[in-house]
């Protein structure tokens, strides 16, 4: 890259009726960045991921991917340009096999072609630890495996920016550790990542850089170790008494 | 269509299923009229198989149920009739042109594909009614025959029409089989399962639903043209028949198993024959009996009979279970 931002989120506003879920959120990702996006329930983390991935359109503000505006593009166009995501609640195609789930992303994703389809699918299944379930129906996987499949589907589109929405939520400690290791591995193949997470220990393992959201606004942007000392952050997580 | 996205995943595995589709249908359509000498019933069966396969593509594979689906059938019938009676076209090109007209009409309806669920189902019904009013309008009597119907008996040839309908009914079943074994079909199934997640995989759900819609309306248009040709003369109500060419077809597909290759064909053969037998013996209470039968079927086998038949076939072929 020529030093420009990979992804720029500028003053994004998203309203649902009278509720302002995002009130002018701005952040920027450079090549190689992994940004932890944290905040209490209802702070707007998933809404922001939905806006960046194209499932929601913003009411104001702009999104730039390598300097190109993408905020009015459909999700499949953004996927072709290199933006992809996982879901907090996984979205596998339950009636299709695990391999077919991956194949769709490989065939229709950013580079979308048939070249080395089997090899590429095997590599991704191996990375996600799903090789032995290749011919299983995705609906028969357990929650942890479905989350891995979600990640594998996103990776199969060969994204440049990956948005990971609470991948470790609901997983036990060893599963979460495996996911953290996996994300570090994934980091090598993408240009930048945003990792949304509730579990602080998980974020700590994945990145040092965090943005804290509260009520749809950025209240902190910086290093994780500074965030835990920040009075505003402590207040939204622990209540007023926590800050004193 | 971007053909780099359309290829058969495992062509070799297609042949056994293709022969399992073709052989029984060929037997039914060749021997059927000898056993029960009423060709028109088997002609209607062929038309219904085409319609069930066409509906299966759009409803079974993409999950979008158009209640007014029969409009494409009617437009195909009218397109064929008008081209033969007014422009003296040969039958084959007239039927193809009629089907193209139906497909073209479906393109006009593509904004409806942005709707979902009941909104889509009901808006297609409104389109059906609108076109019924247009084609049956007295202002258009010189072109469509208006409420008095349209006649093109000069090309009537029942045997040739029957042969064409049988071949094309089998062909439509093969089209569904090919779609199911292709990457295009897998993308359609993914759209049916989750239209947001499929977009993230890079599939334009609107574009692929449009392709499915086009294929489906073209097959329906062909069925309409063949049906019209067999009649030689029809009133608007005969082809704009919501009960027969929309609701009944939906029932056949549901009964057989939507989104499967064999389900709509098997469902149509069984229920259509039941319908015909009931109409001979209980003509007065036909719809009541048929309705009750359907309630029972929907309650006890909501996924249709295809999964049951598949299990039965597995038990017969692999009594010790698959390895």
């Amino acid at each position: 890259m020529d030093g420009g931002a990979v992804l720029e989120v500028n003053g994004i506003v998203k309203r649902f009726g009278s509720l302002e879920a995002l009130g002018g959120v701005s952040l920027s990702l450079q090549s190689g960045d992994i940004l932890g996006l944290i905040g209490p329930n209802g702070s707007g983390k998933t809404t922001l991921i939905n806006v960046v991935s194209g499932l929601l359109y913003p009411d104001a503000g702009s999104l730039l991917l390598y300097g190109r505006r993408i905020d009015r593009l459909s999700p499949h166009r953004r996927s072709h340009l290199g933006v992809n995501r996982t879901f907090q609640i996984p979205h596998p195609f339950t009636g299709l096999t695990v391999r077919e789930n991956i194949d769709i992303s490989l065939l229709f994703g950013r580079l979308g072609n048939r070249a080395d389809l089997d090899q590429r699918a095997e590599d991704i299944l191996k990375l996600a630890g799903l090789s032995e379930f290749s011919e299983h129906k995705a609906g028969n996987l357990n929650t942890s495996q479905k989350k891995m499949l979600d990640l594998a589907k996103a990776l199969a589109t060969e994204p440049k920016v990956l948005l990971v929405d609470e991948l470790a939520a609901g997983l036990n400690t060893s599963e979460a550790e495996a996911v953290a290791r996996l994300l570090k591995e994934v980091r090598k193949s993408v240009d930048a990542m945003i990792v949304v997470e509730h579990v602080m220990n998980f974020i700590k393992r994945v990145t040092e850089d965090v943005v804290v959201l509260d009520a749809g606004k950025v209240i902190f942007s910086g290093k994780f170790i500074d965030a835990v000392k920040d009075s505003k952050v402590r207040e939204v997580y622990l209540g007023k008494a926590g800050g004193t | 269509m971007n053909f780099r996205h359309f290829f058969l995943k495992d062509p070799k595995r297609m042949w056994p299923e293709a022969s399992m589709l073709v052989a029984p249908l060929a037997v039914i359509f060749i021997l059927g009229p000898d056993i029960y000498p009423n060709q028109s019933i088997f002609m209607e069966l062929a038309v219904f198989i085409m319609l069930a396969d066409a509906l299966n593509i759009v409803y079974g594979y993409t999950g979008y149920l158009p209640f007014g689906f029969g409009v494409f059938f009617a437009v195909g019938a009218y397109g064929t009739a008008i081209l033969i009676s007014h422009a003296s076209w040969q039958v084959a090109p007239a039927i193809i042109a009629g089907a193209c007209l139906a497909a073209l009409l479906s393109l006009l309806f593509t904004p409806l594909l942005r709707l979902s669920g009941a909104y889509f189902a009901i808006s297609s019904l409104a389109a059906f009614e609108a076109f019924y009013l247009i084609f049956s309008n007295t202002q258009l009597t010189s072109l469509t025959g208006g409420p008095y119907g349209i006649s093109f008996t000069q090309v009537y040839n029942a045997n040739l029409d029957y042969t064409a309908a049988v071949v094309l009914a089998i062909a439509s079943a093969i089209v569904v089989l090919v779609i199911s074994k292709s990457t295009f079909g897998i993308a359609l199934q993914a759209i049916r399962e989750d239209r947001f997640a499929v977009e993230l995989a890079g599939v334009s759900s609107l574009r692929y639903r449009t392709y499915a819609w086009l294929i489906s309306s073209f097959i329906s248009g062909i069925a309409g043209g063949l049906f019209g040709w067999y009649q030689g003369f029809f009133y608007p109500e005969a082809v704009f028949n919501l009960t027969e060419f929309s609701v009944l077809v939906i029932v056949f597909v549901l009964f057989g198993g939507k989104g499967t290759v064999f389900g709509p064909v098997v469902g149509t053969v069984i229920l259509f024959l039941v319908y015909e037998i009931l109409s001979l013996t209980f003509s007065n209470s036909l719809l009541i009996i048929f309705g009750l039968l359907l309630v029972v079927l929907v309650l006890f086998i909501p996924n249709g009979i295809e999964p049951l038949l598949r299990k039965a076939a597995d038990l017969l072929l692999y009594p010790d279970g698959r390895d």
Side-chain angles (χ1 to χ4, degrees):
Chain A
M1 288 307 301
D2 55 6
V6 172
L7 179 73
E8 280 180 72
V9 176
N10 299 319
I12 290 292
V13 174
K14 181 66 197 172
R15 296 185 197 93
F16 299 106
S18 60
L19 174 75
E20 191 173 73
L22 295 174
V25 173
S26 297
L27 50 90
S28 173
L29 265 80
Q30 307 297 317
S31 185
D33 279 357
I34 299 184
L35 184 69
L37 186 61
I38 56 179
N41 276 335
S43 59
K45 305 183 297 292
T46 296
T47 303
L48 181 61
I49 297 295
N50 285 342
V51 168
V52 176
S53 60
L55 296 194
L56 294 173
Y57 292 110
D59 294 314
S62 65
L63 293 168
L64 281 88
L65 182 73
Y66 300 110
R68 176 181 175 171
R69 268 195 87 153
I70 59 165
D71 45 85
R72 304 315 296 177
L73 298 182
S74 59
H76 78 271
R77 291 282 297 121
R78 296 188 203 193
S79 170
H80 289 164
L81 291 172
V83 178
N84 221 303
R85 66 171 292 175
T86 68
F87 288 90
Q88 192 176 343
I89 297 164
H91 282 232
F93 305 121
T94 51
L96 303 182
T97 65
V98 169
R99 171 65 199 268
E100 285 170 337
N101 270 263
I102 304 293
D103 278 355
I104 291 174
S105 293
L106 287 171
L107 288 162
F108 295 88
R110 186 168 68 84
L111 299 179
N113 61 57
R114 288 171 61 180
D116 304 323
L117 186 65
D118 288 339
Q119 188 57 51
R120 288 192 295 151
E122 274 174 35
D123 290 346
I124 286 169
L125 287 170
K126 193 176 167 191
L127 181 72
L130 294 170
S131 298
E132 60 184 298
F133 306 104
S134 176
E135 295 308 316
H136 289 215
K137 291 276 186 207
N140 294 335
L141 299 179
N142 64 34
T143 306
S144 158
Q145 290 162 341
K146 281 179 183 164
K147 285 190 167 232
M148 287 301 102
L149 178 57
D150 233 22
L151 178 63
K153 278 164 57 189
L155 289 176
T157 62
E158 311 204 28
K160 292 175 175 173
V161 175
L162 183 63
L163 315 167
V164 182
D165 193 0
E166 300 210 17
L167 200 59
L171 302 185
N172 63 38
T173 315
S174 64
E175 286 171 338
E177 266 174 29
V179 170
R181 280 197 301 275
L182 178 60
L183 286 182
K184 283 184 177 168
E185 188 67 25
V186 166
R187 178 188 203 166
K188 296 171 193 165
S189 62
V190 300
D191 223 1
M193 265 204 290
I194 295 179
V195 180
V196 174
E197 197 49 74
H198 254 104
V199 186
M200 291 299 177
N201 281 335
F202 181 83
I203 280 287
K204 211 163 59 179
R205 279 196 212 105
V206 178
T207 183
E208 293 176 345
D209 302 311
V210 294
V211 161
V212 185
L213 282 184
D214 181 45
K217 291 193 166 59
V218 175
I219 59 163
F220 178 87
S221 179
K223 297 291 174 193
F224 181 83
I225 48 168
D226 297 326
V228 293
K229 294 176 200 156
D230 185 89
S231 59
K232 270 190 187 169
V233 175
R234 290 172 70 87
E235 191 179 313
V236 299
Y237 270 97
L238 303 170
K240 290 224 171 197
T244 57
Chain B
M1 184 183 295
N2 189 341
F3 283 97
R4 79 193 163 116
H5 290 148
F6 189 97
F7 70 98
L8 294 170
K9 288 213 31 142
D10 195 355
K12 280 182 193 163
R13 285 173 66 179
M14 205 177 79
W15 296 113
E17 291 196 23
S19 51
M20 282 168 69
L21 267 176
V22 174
L25 286 178
V27 168
I28 289 170
F29 285 117
I30 293 168
L31 298 182
D34 288 335
I35 296 164
Y36 186 74
N38 186 344
Q39 192 190 55
S40 65
I41 283 183
F42 291 93
M43 173 71 198
E44 269 196 61
L45 176 62
V47 164
F48 274 113
I49 286 175
M50 291 177 75
L51 285 174
D53 279 326
L55 181 71
N56 191 31
I57 292 168
V58 73
Y59 175 42
Y61 281 89
T62 71
Y64 281 72
L65 174 59
F67 270 139
F69 167 77
V71 68
F72 303 120
F73 174 84
V75 168
Y78 264 104
T80 304
I82 289 168
L83 287 169
I84 291 172
S85 61
H86 292 292
S88 303
W89 280 37
Q90 296 290 309
V91 175
I95 289 175
I96 293 168
C100 288
L101 201 67
L104 212 66
L105 177 68
S106 76
L107 275 185
L108 288 180
F109 290 164
T110 46
L112 300 184
L113 293 173
R114 292 183 187 275
L115 304 172
S116 60
Y119 299 105
F120 176 74
I122 291 166
S123 58
S124 72
L125 197 59
F128 178 95
E129 288 299 331
F131 274 84
Y132 166 65
L133 291 174
I134 291 169
F135 278 92
S136 61
N137 197 302
T138 47
Q139 304 272 323
L140 288 174
T141 301
S142 60
L143 182 68
T144 64
Y148 314 110
I150 187 162
S151 169
F152 53 117
T153 48
Q154 67 272 31
V155 292
Y156 183 76
N157 185 335
N159 285 335
L160 184 60
D161 190 1
Y162 180 68
T163 309
V166 169
V167 169
L168 291 170
I170 292 172
S172 67
I174 297 293
V175 167
V176 174
L177 176 64
V178 169
I179 287 175
S180 78
K181 300 288 181 206
S182 70
T183 47
F184 170 63
I186 292 171
L188 293 185
Q189 290 173 69
I191 291 169
R192 180 186 65 198
E193 295 219 1
D194 193 323
R195 69 193 181 108
F196 294 118
V198 82
E199 284 268 334
L200 292 166
V203 178
S204 164
S205 67
L206 182 64
R207 186 188 306 165
Y208 279 81
R209 268 183 281 144
T210 305
Y211 294 152
W213 190 233
L214 272 172
I215 297 168
S216 176
S217 56
F218 182 82
I219 295 174
S220 305
I222 293 270
L226 289 165
F227 178 82
W229 182 24
Y230 199 82
Q231 306 298 313
F233 166 83
F234 58 82
Y235 290 108
E237 293 77 15
V239 288
F240 279 99
N241 184 334
L242 194 67
T243 309
E244 286 218 350
F245 301 121
S246 280
V247 177
L248 215 52
V249 178
I250 292 168
V251 170
F252 291 163
V253 171
L254 282 174
F255 171 66
K258 65 186 166 71
T260 66
V261 174
F262 289 88
V265 176
V266 175
T268 304
V269 170
I270 294 175
L271 274 196
F272 178 76
L273 293 179
V274 168
Y275 188 80
E276 285 300 320
I277 291 165
L278 287 177
S279 66
L280 288 175
T281 43
F282 303 100
S283 57
N284 290 332
S285 46
L286 168 68
L287 286 176
I288 295 172
I289 294 170
F290 201 64
L292 284 174
L293 181 69
L294 292 176
V295 169
V296 171
L297 292 171
V298 168
L299 280 176
F300 293 103
I301 45 170
N303 293 325
I305 57 169
E306 202 267 359
L308 299 178
L309 293 176
R310 205 167 271 278
K311 269 187 195 164
D314 272 358
L315 280 175
L316 278 173
L317 295 170
Y318 310 99
D320 301 323
R322 283 180 189 267
D323 54 8

